[in-house]
Amino acid sequence: MKILHVKKYILPALLLSMLAAFPLAAAIAKAKPRLLVFSKTAGFRHDCIPTARLAVINLGKENGFSVDTTEDASVFNDKNLKKYAAVLFLNTTGDVLNDEQQAAMEKYIHNGGGYMGIHAATDTEYGWPWYNKLAGAWFTSHPKQQEATLLVVDRNNGATKHLQEKWVRKDEWYNFKDLNPDVHVLIKIDESSYEGGTNGTEHPMCWYHDFEGGRAFYTELGHTKESYADPVYLQHVLGGLRYAMNIRSKD
């Protein structure tokens, strides 16, 4: 009778425990990597930002990652940043983080987090030298928007493998200062193909690097609204995001 008593109460409890565990296991299996899109501006504000945010959200939906968007710098704290595989600085400008938020971002990268910058991300945080090293450069000037020829110098990357060796497109082309020599350049611009370039023959437009325990990717492209409806450009952005988020491409 004692054995029956044990079976009567313990076996159902065991079954309930197993059933309860399956939803949790399923939830864990379905958990998606998360991207934080940060588009706060304290200087010039690009009118493409709303369009760009929606484009990145759609990239997430189509490619298996979740996207949160914000312009609230208070999200840069240790607890919150742990949620994200990477942070995208989307056309940020000026001084957008205070000292405590900067410290949280540095810690996040040191703990293996990812960073991606699009276009004006290099027109950001000029008083924070660490950010300059992370992003890879600072913006210094640009000529009028015009068509130019990009030179894809490394096509063995998710952000460039779909491109030809020359990529002609219209955008706003930045000149840079304080370039980090330790980045790996993927795309340069041919200054003879447009007016107003000041960086010479080695004028980078896109690069990446492993940095202080984390990952950083930057593309200068992305000033215009039209960029975010261009599948070639969006594939370029997706490749950068996958690197920053440490997601292996299925292609």
Side-chain angles (χ1 to χ4, degrees):
M1 294 296 292
K2 186 176 181 181
I3 293 175
L4 291 175
H5 178 77
V6 170
K7 288 182 178 179
K8 181 179 179 180
Y9 293 102
I10 294 182
L11 187 57
L14 179 61
L15 289 172
L16 288 171
S17 177
M18 291 174 65
L19 289 172
F22 284 126
L24 178 60
I28 293 171
K30 291 180 180 179
K32 296 179 180 180
R34 296 175 70 177
L35 172 71
L36 178 62
V37 177
F38 183 55
S39 54
K40 180 180 178 180
T41 55
F44 181 82
R45 186 169 181 85
H46 287 73
D47 64 4
C48 69
I49 287 175
T51 303
R53 279 195 302 245
L54 288 174
V56 175
I57 289 170
N58 287 332
L59 283 178
K61 291 178 179 178
E62 295 165 1
N63 294 279
F65 58 91
S66 300
V67 178
D68 295 335
T69 67
T70 190
E71 297 196 352
D72 179 2
S74 69
V75 302
F76 283 79
N77 60 74
D78 294 345
K79 181 179 179 180
N80 189 61
L81 289 178
K82 288 179 181 179
K83 302 175 185 177
Y84 298 103
V87 178
L88 170 61
F89 278 53
L90 177 58
N91 278 321
T92 51
T93 55
D95 187 2
V96 291
L97 301 179
N98 65 28
D99 291 347
E100 291 77 15
Q101 293 155 0
Q102 290 176 5
M105 182 64 182
E106 292 185 22
K107 184 176 179 180
Y108 168 73
I109 293 295
H110 294 160
N111 287 336
Y115 161 90
M116 181 168 168
I118 287 181
H119 194 57
T122 50
D123 188 22
T124 302
E125 292 291 349
Y126 290 95
W128 184 15
W130 183 89
Y131 180 82
N132 169 251
K133 296 298 182 183
L134 173 74
W138 272 324
F139 159 83
T140 185
S141 65
H142 66 78
K144 65 179 181 181
Q145 294 176 44
Q146 59 194 291
E147 189 175 272
T149 300
L150 298 167
L151 307 175
V152 184
V153 296
D154 183 352
R155 298 172 65 207
N156 297 310
N157 185 278
T160 54
K161 65 182 180 181
H162 65 297
L163 301 174
Q164 300 299 313
E165 291 182 359
K166 292 186 178 181
W167 185 12
V168 179
R169 71 189 309 272
K170 182 179 180 180
D171 213 316
E172 182 178 77
W173 308 115
Y174 280 3
N175 298 308
F176 295 108
K177 64 180 181 179
D178 297 323
L179 286 154
N180 184 342
D182 297 325
V183 301
H184 182 86
V185 176
L186 295 173
I187 300 174
K188 299 189 295 185
I189 195 166
D190 179 359
E191 288 195 355
S192 70
S193 69
Y194 73 107
E195 296 180 354
T198 63
N199 285 109
T201 57
E202 299 299 320
H203 187 158
M205 285 282 118
C206 174
W207 55 78
Y208 72 93
H209 59 141
D210 292 345
F211 181 74
E212 295 188 2
R215 301 162 306 281
F217 185 100
Y218 173 77
T219 182
E220 188 277 344
L221 290 59
H223 173 88
T224 66
K225 290 181 181 179
E226 291 77 12
S227 295
Y228 300 95
D230 177 1
V232 177
Y233 173 74
L234 291 176
Q235 185 64 35
H236 170 65
V237 170
L238 178 61
L241 289 173
R242 282 174 168 161
Y243 167 75
M245 298 177 74
N246 202 23
I247 298 174
R248 183 171 295 181
S249 172
K250 295 180 182 179
D251 301 336

